[in-house]
Amino acid sequence: MNKIIIVGAGPGAEDLITIRGLKALQEADFVLYAGSLVNPLLLKHCKKECTILDSANMNLEEQVNSMLAFAKENKKVVRLHTGDPAIYGAINEQIRLIKAQGYDIEIVPGVSSVFGAAASLGIELTSPEISQSVVLTRTPGRTPMPEKEKASTFAKTGATLVFFLSTGKIDDLMEDLSKNGELSPDTPVAVVYRATWKEERILRGTIADISQKTEEAGFGRQALIFVGKALQGQEDSNVSKLYEKTFSHGYRNTLQREYFQGICALYAFSKQGLAKAKEIAQGLNLPTQIYSVYEDEQAITIQKGNIQNLISQNWNSFDAHIFLGATGIAVRSIAPCLEHKSFDPAVLSCSDSGSHIISLVSGHIGGANRLARKIARITGGQACISTATDTNNKTGIDEIAMELNARILNPKAIKTINAKLLHNEPLDFIGNKEIYEQYFSNLGIQYVTKSNTSCIYVDTINNNEEDIYTDEKNLYLSTKSFVLGIGCRKDTDPILMQEKLHDFLSKHHLSEKQIAKISSVSLKKDEKAILNLAEKLQVPTYFYEEQELEHITIPNPSQTVHNKIGVKSVSEASSLLCAGYPKVKRPFIEKTAYEKCLTFALTKLPHGKIQNTKTGIMSVVGLGSGSYKHITPEVMDIIKNCDIIAGYTPYIDFIRQHIDNKPIIQNGMMGEMERCKKAMEEASKGKHVCMVCSGDPGILAMAGLLLELRRSIPEFNTITVNTYAGITSANIAAASLGAPLQNGFCLVSLSDLLVPSNEVRQNLHAVASSALAITLYNPAGKKRRELLHEAIQIFIEKRGEETLSAYVKNAGRENETKWIGKLKDLPFDDIDMSTLLVIGNNRTIFDDNYLYEARGYMEKYHK
């Protein structure tokens, strides 16, 4: 006769069912499973034709009858229970009724949630000299407990206690264990909710405080309670482990998954939040600054309504921003600052009780996830992590890169690689075998020497290959990720420098293999100790002039160094500049001095392509035609983030309120050459200069002149010139008139200040002979009006005096005026340098005060 199989599904994780249990599922014709207690992902292993029922709403007789109905048809029947069926599985009554009908029972054991939870806790339940017994029990409910099986009775034995189905009565349980079980209030307790499920959560505490923590966490009934000293792990009977270097707690943490190094800002919005901020700041043992809406000697006061401005000012000055209060405050405050996860600092939101710490931004690269766990250990709260890899019990590739202290050369590929990890798709690894074994082998990634699929390359990159920076299929990592900045006295002993560098790196758990470049001041370009070290490490050297280093903002300026060579920093400033300042704003490891003659600093190279660090950037931007609404967000960002603003004085006046006390290079009309040269000189010193232009910078503006200067003057040759579009007046005027430039147009300037008048006339004859609409820029000044009359006469001769035309004066501004009419009626006296002329063609139409050009659709398609 057919048998019915009772299978233990395991604690929750899909891959913790036994092979025998999985095989039974795969072969079953009917499966009755225990509702929300069993992971529904297990059911995908059933055959398509298998009948699957949820037993959650069925009583005992209904469950048994459903199984017997299929068994009578000689079908394979599986009853799928959570954990191990032998522990609180309520299988006895099922077995009795099934056997009464003449059917056999097979029980396939499963991994109990108690062992899944113990694994998540990372403990051994039987710890030598502490506890060699484990009691699995529960508190009384509708099912009473035998008199001799009271929790307090078990507690007196010193055994490790595990309570099922008891979180609803945890307060009474802890009181019973303390008063009647003779357990001290500091006895360790852990509560594990939905052990091994994706939503698993763990609370740690003591008999004295676990009840409150569990209530605050809102744990449901699917949680286990562990009580006993075994939760502390094995201890030496004579020596406490508390102060061993490997022991971690809220105030000293060595766990890699909770490692965070950097400067933290904490923002408190209530008195409770301020107290918690102080607790966190003390526990982090990192450089911190507290900001609070309440005055306090340990905090900087947040002025009312100024939080967003404060965050903008602080954004790049801290490695982490921790908000003590509602998450909405954090989200609204940081929104304008967000750039990219490769560069953004960590952002966390912590309830002012410390019960929940949410990783909001830059979970992996910025370390927000690790910091959330670190803070949770300090506050006894719960770290709330939402990154896809973490919630699926995977390690993100960007998280591994951070553990390696590696540089990600093409950050856009992170998304692709992490998606493949999540979905268990093929991934290869090419590079250092030792790194592969330590970090990648347990992720299902294959070690190969040649790849035909997506691949992770570590230290196998030719840095001259530009295409790797845009590759989104493969990921490139370099463990050579640091710039070593060196300051030293003349003729420093090379052996001393190498010995002290070893001490410096060892102190910070780094190695010489991780150094990518060496930097210093140009005065040291012949220093034997530096050159010998560079040769030993096989890395390039970069030397910077004093004026290049002087403008770099550094954490530890030295007046002594400034008095000697004219700059306040060598090691910090040069390493920052070499790593990509101002994008990189702080050293990874600040200046460390040795023997009063030698300093080292380390700056981490940024992810992605590094901009030219020898000189600065010239951004040429267009402000549009005179209205703030015409300035693009991109241009506003550049104005906000640059070091120096340059431009014609009226254009500077237009944006002066957004300059924020930046240095300004400005002058009047006819000062373009002087203005542009000064701007390029500042860029050559490593500054980011923004040259503002009216309209579009590439149309009758400064972009061309700046590029000419770049080509003509050697010291400007390496400056990166970026042009950012603005809305030119032709577009604004055309929109105001209707659509007069529909089929394309020619743009001609009537100014002969820089272009000879004969060349202007030649242009006018050429465009007038075309069929295109024409826009005339700079039509006339107070004294310069002859070319305007000549231009109109040329167009009348070529196109006729009845040709439709228009002008728009002060296009896009509040005082905008316009005229539309025939070419012969053009009001010359109204036209000045603020006027843009539009001359139509045989397709131009004036209808109901709209001037527009027929596109051709009506003629071709309208019937």
Side-chain angles (χ1 to χ4, degrees):
M1 183 175 284
N2 195 11
K3 63 184 176 182
I4 292 175
I5 305 175
I6 298 177
V7 174
E14 180 187 0
D15 56 355
L16 286 181
I17 191 172
T18 64
I19 294 175
R20 186 184 298 180
L22 182 62
K23 183 179 179 182
L25 269 185
Q26 292 168 337
E27 295 177 351
D29 300 305
F30 174 72
V31 173
L32 183 67
Y33 74 103
S36 63
L37 301 177
V38 170
N39 191 335
L41 292 177
L42 288 169
L43 302 176
K44 72 180 183 181
H45 297 286
C46 298
K47 299 182 293 190
K48 288 184 178 180
E49 60 270 26
C50 178
T51 301
I52 301 172
L53 287 182
D54 183 352
S55 65
N57 296 316
M58 301 169 70
N59 59 37
L60 175 62
E61 287 74 23
E62 290 171 334
Q63 294 176 29
V64 172
N65 288 338
S66 66
M67 290 186 281
L68 290 174
F70 280 82
K72 289 175 181 177
E73 296 179 7
N74 206 31
K75 301 290 186 181
K76 293 184 178 180
V77 177
V78 167
R79 175 67 167 111
L80 189 60
H81 275 269
T82 184
D84 185 277
I87 302 176
Y88 301 112
I91 62 172
N92 283 339
E93 49 267 47
Q94 298 177 62
I95 294 171
R96 184 179 66 252
L97 292 175
I98 291 170
K99 284 190 172 182
Q101 296 297 316
Y103 289 88
D104 289 332
I105 292 289
E106 177 187 346
I107 298 176
V108 177
V111 178
S112 172
S113 58
V114 64
F115 303 119
S120 296
L121 289 169
I123 60 169
E124 179 184 350
L125 298 176
T126 53
S127 184
E129 299 184 17
I130 294 177
S131 172
Q132 287 292 285
S133 302
V134 180
V135 177
L136 308 183
T137 185
R138 57 172 291 177
T139 53
R142 286 181 292 182
T143 302
M145 295 292 291
E147 182 63 27
K148 295 182 179 180
E149 293 184 17
K150 290 181 178 180
S152 57
T153 302
F154 291 130
K156 292 176 181 179
T157 68
T160 302
L161 308 181
V162 183
F163 293 89
F164 289 73
L165 309 169
S166 301
T167 49
K169 297 183 177 181
I170 191 170
D171 197 31
D172 294 338
L173 174 60
M174 293 301 113
E175 184 177 0
D176 183 38
L177 295 177
S178 179
K179 289 185 177 180
N180 303 316
E182 301 176 0
L183 294 182
S184 64
D186 63 354
T187 300
V189 181
V191 181
V192 182
Y193 172 72
R194 291 177 76 82
T196 78
W197 291 68
K198 291 179 182 178
E199 55 267 38
E200 173 188 276
R201 294 169 62 190
I202 296 175
L203 288 180
R204 298 176 188 266
T206 64
I207 282 179
D209 63 13
I210 197 66
S211 298
Q212 182 179 348
K213 290 182 178 181
T214 304
E215 182 180 354
E216 290 175 351
F219 282 5
R221 61 188 180 86
Q222 295 179 29
L224 293 172
I225 303 170
F226 290 73
V227 181
K229 293 182 178 180
L231 271 67
Q232 294 176 328
Q234 184 174 345
E235 293 184 349
D236 188 282
S237 57
N238 297 315
V239 181
S240 171
K241 298 284 186 179
L242 181 61
Y243 297 109
E244 279 196 357
K245 63 181 180 180
T246 57
F247 187 86
S248 293
H249 54 75
Y251 291 86
R252 190 181 71 254
N253 193 326
T254 60
L255 296 177
Q256 180 61 46
R257 69 193 304 269
E258 298 176 18
Y259 176 80
F260 184 88
Q261 193 70 27
I263 307 172
C264 302
L266 298 96
Y267 307 91
F269 302 95
S270 69
K271 290 183 178 179
Q272 186 181 7
L274 177 58
K276 190 59 64 175
K278 292 178 181 179
E279 177 188 341
I280 293 170
Q282 182 182 2
L284 286 175
N285 195 28
L286 294 170
T288 57
Q289 177 61 61
I290 299 173
Y291 298 84
S292 172
V293 295
Y294 295 94
E295 291 187 5
D296 187 273
E297 62 181 10
Q298 296 182 38
I300 295 174
T301 304
I302 301 173
Q303 300 301 320
K304 186 177 181 180
N306 194 48
I307 181 61
Q308 199 167 82
N309 289 336
L310 175 63
I311 299 304
S312 296
Q313 293 169 10
N314 286 352
W315 187 246
N316 290 316
S317 300
F318 291 90
D319 298 293
H321 298 269
I322 305 162
F323 291 79
L324 281 297
T327 301
I329 298 175
V331 172
R332 284 188 289 271
S333 300
I334 68 172
C337 303
L338 295 174
E339 183 179 356
H340 190 274
K341 66 180 180 180
S342 299
F343 312 115
D344 291 331
V347 180
L348 299 90
S349 176
C350 178
S351 60
D352 42 10
S353 67
S355 61
H356 295 85
I357 303 91
I358 304 170
S359 170
L360 286 177
V361 170
S362 205
H364 291 159
I365 293 178
N369 291 357
R370 282 173 270 123
L371 182 57
R373 298 186 191 105
K374 188 181 183 81
I375 294 174
R377 187 176 291 274
I378 295 168
T379 66
Q382 176 67 41
C384 303
I385 311 296
S386 60
T387 40
T389 47
D390 295 81
T391 56
N392 285 276
N393 296 317
K394 304 273 189 178
T395 303
I397 201 70
D398 39 352
E399 182 74 11
I400 294 174
M402 296 307 98
E403 290 183 22
L404 272 167
N405 265 321
R407 178 174 162 235
I408 303 172
L409 301 187
N410 56 330
K412 287 185 177 180
I414 294 172
K415 183 177 180 180
T416 301
I417 301 300
N418 276 343
K420 289 184 177 294
L421 283 174
L422 277 174
H423 299 110
N424 297 314
E425 296 177 10
L427 269 176
D428 290 343
F429 177 99
I430 295 178
N432 184 292
K433 188 67 176 286
E434 184 178 339
I435 290 175
Y436 168 77
E437 294 291 349
Q438 184 174 356
Y439 293 97
F440 297 92
S441 60
N442 63 342
L443 299 177
I445 298 173
Q446 299 299 311
Y447 183 85
V448 298
T449 56
K450 186 176 181 180
S451 176
N452 293 318
T453 185
S454 289
C455 185
I456 299 166
Y457 295 87
V458 177
D459 293 335
T460 58
I461 304 103
N462 179 350
N463 287 324
N464 294 321
E465 296 178 7
E466 291 291 316
D467 56 345
I468 67 174
Y469 296 110
T470 56
D471 188 343
E472 296 185 28
K473 175 187 175 184
N474 308 293
L475 188 74
Y476 296 85
L477 302 180
S478 174
T479 58
K480 284 185 171 294
S481 52
F482 291 101
V483 177
L484 174 66
I486 301 177
C488 64
R489 285 183 182 173
K490 185 178 180 180
D491 298 328
T492 294
D493 181 7
I495 301 299
L496 174 67
M497 180 176 287
Q498 292 180 27
E499 288 177 349
K500 295 306 177 184
L501 175 61
H502 181 269
D503 294 345
F504 172 70
L505 295 173
S506 298
K507 177 182 176 182
H508 298 286
H509 309 290
L510 298 171
S511 75
E512 294 178 347
K513 294 179 180 179
Q514 293 173 280
I515 296 174
K517 306 175 182 181
I518 291 176
S519 66
S520 191
V521 65
S522 59
L523 291 172
K524 300 296 176 182
K525 63 183 179 181
D526 296 320
E527 187 69 43
K528 184 178 179 181
I530 294 177
L531 298 179
N532 284 2
L533 179 61
E535 183 178 0
K536 175 178 181 284
L537 301 182
Q538 291 294 294
V539 298
T541 54
Y542 295 81
F543 299 97
Y544 297 93
E545 299 296 332
E546 292 89 332
Q547 59 267 31
E548 293 182 273
L549 300 179
E550 183 59 22
H551 78 278
I552 306 295
T553 302
I554 39 88
N556 301 290
S558 169
Q559 190 59 45
T560 301
V561 175
H562 186 269
N563 293 340
K564 289 184 177 180
I565 63 173
V567 294
K568 294 181 179 180
S569 170
V570 173
S571 58
E572 288 181 338
S574 68
S575 68
L576 281 169
L577 188 56
C578 191
Y581 183 91
K583 194 69 176 179
V584 180
K585 292 186 177 294
R586 292 188 311 282
F588 183 79
I589 298 174
E590 295 181 6
K591 177 180 69 176
T592 301
Y594 294 93
E595 306 287 338
K596 295 184 179 181
C597 66
L598 180 62
T599 61
F600 295 122
L602 273 185
T603 298
K604 193 170 184 181
L605 290 163
H607 305 293
K609 186 176 180 180
I610 302 174
Q611 296 292 333
N612 184 345
T613 59
K614 184 63 178 176
T615 56
I617 298 171
M618 172 64 67
S619 294
V620 200
V621 305
L623 301 178
S625 192
S627 173
Y628 278 119
K629 63 185 178 182
H630 294 146
I631 302 179
T632 66
E634 181 180 44
V635 167
M636 287 303 297
D637 284 343
I638 292 166
I639 292 171
K640 176 182 176 182
N641 295 318
C642 70
D643 299 315
I644 298 173
I645 297 286
Y648 177 43
T649 297
Y651 303 158
I652 295 291
D653 291 339
F654 182 58
I655 60 162
R656 197 173 294 276
Q657 67 186 53
H658 299 287
I659 293 177
D660 295 329
N661 297 318
K662 290 183 173 67
I664 298 172
I665 300 170
Q666 63 177 346
N667 57 18
M669 190 70 71
M670 309 297 290
E672 293 87 349
M673 181 64 75
E674 178 189 0
R675 185 192 318 145
C676 288
K677 276 188 175 180
K678 285 184 177 179
M680 292 293 278
E681 286 169 0
E682 291 301 320
S684 70
K685 298 174 185 177
K687 305 286 183 67
H688 180 185
V689 182
C690 175
M691 176 68 71
V692 298
C693 307
S694 177
D696 182 279
I699 300 175
L700 305 172
M702 295 297 102
L705 173 56
L706 290 165
L707 289 170
E708 285 182 285
L709 289 171
R710 181 183 185 276
R711 183 186 66 174
S712 304
I713 300 177
E715 54 264 40
F716 297 165
N717 290 168
T718 59
I719 296 174
T720 299
V721 178
N722 298 318
T723 303
Y724 297 90
I727 304 176
T728 187
S729 58
N731 299 110
I732 298 171
S736 178
L737 295 169
L741 310 178
Q742 188 71 31
N743 285 316
F745 67 101
C746 287
L747 187 157
V748 179
S749 172
L750 292 187
S751 173
D752 60 355
L753 182 63
L754 299 173
V755 178
S757 56
N758 285 337
E759 186 176 330
V760 175
R761 294 185 182 95
Q762 184 180 350
N763 292 338
L764 290 170
H765 280 285
V767 299
S769 299
S770 74
L772 293 169
I774 310 299
T775 60
L776 297 180
Y777 279 52
N778 307 318
K782 292 181 179 179
K783 297 180 180 179
R784 182 185 55 79
R785 307 189 69 83
E786 293 80 11
L787 274 175
L788 172 62
H789 288 275
E790 287 186 43
I792 300 306
Q793 189 57 43
I794 290 171
F795 282 100
I796 288 176
E797 291 175 0
K798 298 288 186 178
R799 300 189 178 186
E801 63 181 8
E802 299 294 315
T803 301
L804 287 170
S805 60
Y807 77 62
V808 179
K809 185 183 293 188
N810 299 313
R813 302 175 188 175
E814 291 182 358
N815 59 338
E816 176 187 287
T817 58
K818 56 188 174 184
W819 170 90
I820 302 174
K822 297 178 181 178
L823 204 52
K824 66 179 182 179
D825 300 323
L826 181 70
F828 285 92
D829 292 342
D830 291 347
I831 297 172
D832 58 20
M833 288 293 286
S834 298
T835 307
L836 182 125
L837 281 175
V838 177
I839 299 175
N841 53 34
N842 60 358
R843 287 180 171 270
T844 305
I845 299 168
F846 181 51
D847 177 58
D848 198 18
N849 211 35
Y850 293 105
L851 186 70
Y852 62 95
E853 190 176 16
R855 184 73 177 92
Y857 290 107
M858 295 294 287
E859 295 92 328
K860 187 168 184 178
Y861 300 110
H862 184 68
K863 296 181 181 178

